[in-house]
Amino acid sequence: MAHRLAILKRHLEGANCASSTENFRYTVNNRFLTREQRQFYEKNGFVVIPRLVDPERLETYRDRFEQISMGFVKIDLMTVMRDVAYAKTNRDRSPITKLQNFQDDAVLFDYCRLPSVLDYVSDFVGDDVMAMHTMLINKPPDPGTLSSRHPMHQDLHYFPFRPADRIVCSWTAMQRVHRDNGCLVVQPGSHQTVGRLLPHDYPKWEGGVNKMYHGVDYSPDMPRLHLEMNAGDTVLFHPLLIHGSGTNRTMGFRKAISCHYASSHCSYIDVKGTTQEGIAKEAEGMAKKMLGFPISYTDTWKVRSRLVKGVEGSLSQSS
Ligand SMILES: O=C(O)CCC(=O)C(=O)O
């Protein structure tokens, strides 16, 4: 409701159009973004929209996470990821760090269809929108190994579709996130200063690294910003933005929910011979183990993506 009122107010003030002399590359519109937010994203590769998701909905997602983690609900094709270091330290059960691919769960997938989020998403990717990848991240208290960190990376590393500029991630804090519980860390502007996909690999961390947590060669001296956010605040960011998250030094789990969206008119690319060949093989291996039969990397994306706004395009075409 507050979101709708803010938009109405902006329309009435006539503040919803960018100047025609400005060149924008990373956004397509500012019907919902203010001009300042649009300019900020173009320069920095991310923008935080305060209080975008209603706390009551976050409660619903939290309850669903509990039901899933207690084994009361099973969701087709969903991947449950667990912390590597807890297993090593002989705890009875390694906690869930992440649910991925919850597109077939109506309760969690509700997040990806929220009009408040989709309104903004359309300013980045246009009006024909596919939800490509879904995650509920449950960063556990660090067991003393620093393995709760997420290495600095670019999300495009995981995606075999382009153009990158028509992909955006929305990441919503489900509670207050701050430096102590391992908030997101971004390298502002890296979507354009780095401007390309860097090689990624597992970092050589003594305490172990979680599965699929690939990172770039990163020096902590590089400029970075910790995004402290309140419950419901949502950061939208470009898939080339270098980002990660810190150690959770609290006793509680830190939760966030996210969805990567792409224009349905993006196209799949062949990753053979590129820096993405390794991740494609690793993901195909995991998918084969889960499904019991081989499936191509592209098909793993076709299976999990869902149209959430507008019309289908090349991303959903079978080849
Ligand atoms: O929420 C986090 O800790 C970071 C998540 C992230 O960057 C990812 O899963 O790609």
Side-chain angles (χ1 to χ4, degrees):
M1 185 63 179
H3 164 68
R4 294 275 156 191
L5 283 176
I7 288 160
L8 181 63
K9 187 162 169 273
R10 262 209 324 278
H11 276 267
L12 292 174
E13 289 167 355
N16 62 325
C17 288
S19 145
S20 56
T21 57
E22 281 174 291
N23 276 328
F24 295 109
R25 166 175 171 182
Y26 303 104
T27 51
V28 296
N29 223 319
N30 52 284
R31 281 181 305 190
F32 295 92
L33 292 166
T34 63
R35 186 155 76 198
E36 291 69 31
Q37 287 170 331
R38 185 176 189 182
Q39 287 163 333
F40 185 92
Y41 182 90
E42 290 277 332
K43 179 165 178 237
N44 295 290
F46 72 94
V47 62
V48 178
I49 312 293
R51 296 180 301 281
L52 189 61
V53 179
D54 184 16
E56 275 172 35
R57 286 197 188 258
L58 298 177
E59 237 3 85
T60 316
Y61 309 149
R62 183 180 283 276
D63 290 347
R64 190 60 161 185
F65 176 82
E66 292 307 324
Q67 291 168 351
I68 293 169
S69 55
M70 286 190 284
F72 297 156
V73 182
K74 293 259 179 291
I75 316 290
D76 280 352
L77 300 180
M78 190 176 69
T79 311
V80 176
M81 302 181 74
R82 294 182 184 276
D83 186 87
V84 61
Y86 270 90
K88 278 194 194 149
T89 50
N90 286 329
R91 310 259 168 140
D92 359 32
R93 241 180 133 221
S94 177
I96 293 177
T97 51
K98 216 184 239 189
L99 302 178
Q100 287 205 88
N101 308 322
F102 52 70
Q103 64 280 347
D104 289 331
D105 180 47
V107 179
L108 291 179
F109 198 66
D110 168 79
Y111 170 76
C112 307
R113 294 188 192 280
L114 287 179
S116 56
V117 176
L118 284 175
D119 283 346
Y120 280 96
V121 165
S122 285
D123 277 353
F124 301 93
V125 309
D127 285 330
D128 299 324
V129 186
M130 301 282 290
M132 299 301 291
H133 178 233
T134 54
M135 292 190 289
L136 193 154
I137 305 133
N138 185 47
K139 189 191 275 285
D142 195 89
T145 52
L146 302 182
S147 57
S148 65
R149 287 173 296 173
H150 197 123
M152 298 296 273
H153 64 282
Q154 296 165 304
D155 288 343
L156 195 68
H157 171 62
Y158 298 93
F159 304 153
F161 39 88
R162 301 288 188 275
D165 296 341
R166 297 288 80 82
I167 303 172
V168 72
C169 177
S170 77
W171 185 102
T172 299
M174 292 175 67
Q175 63 194 84
R176 169 111 185 110
V177 296
H178 44 79
R179 286 191 73 155
D180 272 358
N181 63 8
C183 62
L184 277 191
V185 184
V186 300
Q187 189 184 333
S190 46
H191 68 308
Q192 53 175 327
T193 52
V194 173
R196 68 190 167 88
L197 184 57
L198 298 173
H200 286 60
D201 206 345
Y202 281 108
K204 293 181 181 41
W205 288 348
E206 270 179 42
V209 184
N210 289 320
K211 208 155 176 50
M212 305 292 263
Y213 278 30
H214 296 188
V216 294
D217 206 2
Y218 183 78
S219 147
D221 306 334
M222 290 174 184
R224 60 194 174 136
L225 186 68
H226 291 80
L227 297 184
E228 299 202 316
M229 293 159 62
N230 290 314
D233 292 357
T234 300
V235 57
L236 294 141
F237 62 91
H238 189 278
L240 283 177
L241 184 78
I242 297 180
H243 69 285
S245 64
T247 311
N248 182 356
R249 299 181 195 279
T250 69
M251 299 299 282
F253 288 79
R254 188 230 70 188
K255 286 187 176 54
I257 189 163
S258 86
C259 181
H260 287 93
Y261 297 93
S263 158
S264 67
H265 307 292
C266 284
S267 305
Y268 287 102
I269 56 158
D270 185 357
V271 297
K272 213 185 236 156
T274 73
T275 60
Q276 292 178 263
E277 200 168 344
I279 182 67
K281 287 215 172 85
E282 187 175 349
E284 282 171 353
M286 280 174 75
K288 185 174 174 192
K289 214 161 146 192
M290 184 183 197
L291 300 170
F293 56 85
I295 175 169
S296 75
Y297 193 40
T298 303
D299 283 343
T300 67
W301 288 96
K302 288 187 179 169
V303 166
R304 70 184 113 161
S305 55
R306 298 284 180 275
L307 184 74
V308 286
K309 185 173 175 185
V311 298
E312 308 255 2
S314 27
L315 276 185
S316 24
Q317 274 155 25
S318 46
S319 54

